[in-house]
Amino acid sequence: KDPSLAELTHYLATQRILGAVQKKGGTQLKLLLSFPNYGETLLKPMKQTRDAETDVNLFYFSDFERHNAEIAAFHLDRVLGFNRIPPVVGRLINVTREIREITTDRKLSRTFFTSPVGNVCFYGQCEYYCSTEHPVCGRPHLLEVSLAAMLPDLNLAPRRSWRSPWRRSYSRTKLAQWEKDPKYCDIVKQTPPYSHGSRLVDLIDMAILDFLMGNMDRHHYETFEKFGNETFLLHLDNGRAFGRHSRDEPSILAPLQQCCRIRRSTLLRLRLLSLPSFHLSDVMRESLAQDPLEGVAPLLSEQHLFALDRRLVTVLQVVQTCQDQHDDVIYNDLEGYDQQPDGRQSTKKEK
């Protein structure tokens, strides 16, 4: 409910662009745009249409990143009550006037060309899909992009990158340890920082988010160093989400299935979003309607929205299975928040 959020997203969607350069690092093309007040934003371009599903023959680490996935992930993260993705907004930009004519990046500038049908295209330099065979093209000049708010400079707010215990092997032939050992969570529970505090259920929150949006590409996560282990995870880099709506990937839920732990607040929110009057798909549709690009075309197809409802049922079924087998499934993060009006503590238990 922060009123500054609407101001920030409006700013990202409307401010004049003064500069555009490629962002170093990463596997696919990203740009850094600069604004008149010295602000910056991270741009990811539209590479494929909304209804294009990921090729079933592609590995998860070879998939395109999608601009609408970044936008939808931000909205889903808020709908779930996590609020761990920096604001992301969609925008139509003119690739000629707002990138080509103002960039000081010569390597980027040299990759611009006009396609056979007259569209202005570019491809930049990166590890994957930066070639004339995989260009980013306007129509003929207008291009859909996602713009993400930048986190504070590392000198002001240092961050630490953590390798996810449930990181995939990123190999075409090998499996990760967690894929071979059903009791893998017992090892994680004994390893700091997962051995105390809320870090483990933080990770399970992130796994639920990733399962709902079909994101298999969660190899690392970040935290702010200032707060030590009493912190929250940053759910960054969600461009490979929402690739398939016709198939679910149950292995993404491995942290929940193997650890059988979930925040009480998360479970209550999931149950709420499963009610007929609060269908997750309906809430997401309403939330996405606030984005500027929704006026161009729906950011998520109806198939993707229906997939959210289907996957939510799966998450709740996994939780129920855990509760049938274990007594300590619920991590009560609402202690002290659920007092009755007369000050007495509620004794109602989760079922």
Side-chain angles (χ1 to χ4, degrees), residues 56 194 229:
V56 295
Y194 308 101
N229 200 38

Side-chain angles (χ1 to χ4, degrees), residues 9 16 61 101 106 108 111 127 202 242 299 317 350:
T9 53
R16 184 164 60 96
F61 49 82
E101 293 178 357
R106 293 183 179 179
L108 174 63
T111 68
E127 291 184 31
D202 286 341
F242 296 105
L299 283 161
Q317 288 173 341
E350 304 297 331

Side-chain angles (χ1 to χ4, degrees), residues 4-52:
S4 61
L5 177 62
E7 296 177 15
L8 175 58
T9 53
H10 178 74
Y11 179 89
L12 291 172
T14 59
Q15 272 295 305
R16 184 164 60 96
I17 299 170
L18 293 185
V21 296
Q22 289 187 102
K23 184 181 184 298
K24 297 179 180 178
T27 58
Q28 299 192 35
L29 178 66
K30 306 177 186 70
L31 301 182
L32 282 176
L33 305 185
S34 55
F35 296 132
N37 69 343
Y38 303 102
E40 289 185 322
T41 184
L42 180 67
L43 178 154
K44 289 189 178 182
M46 181 177 185
K47 297 278 290 188
Q48 55 188 356
T49 59
R50 304 269 202 281
D51 55 354

Side-chain angles (χ1 to χ4, degrees), residues 27 117 139 280 285:
T27 58
V117 294
R139 296 185 179 180
L280 177 55
R285 192 182 293 107

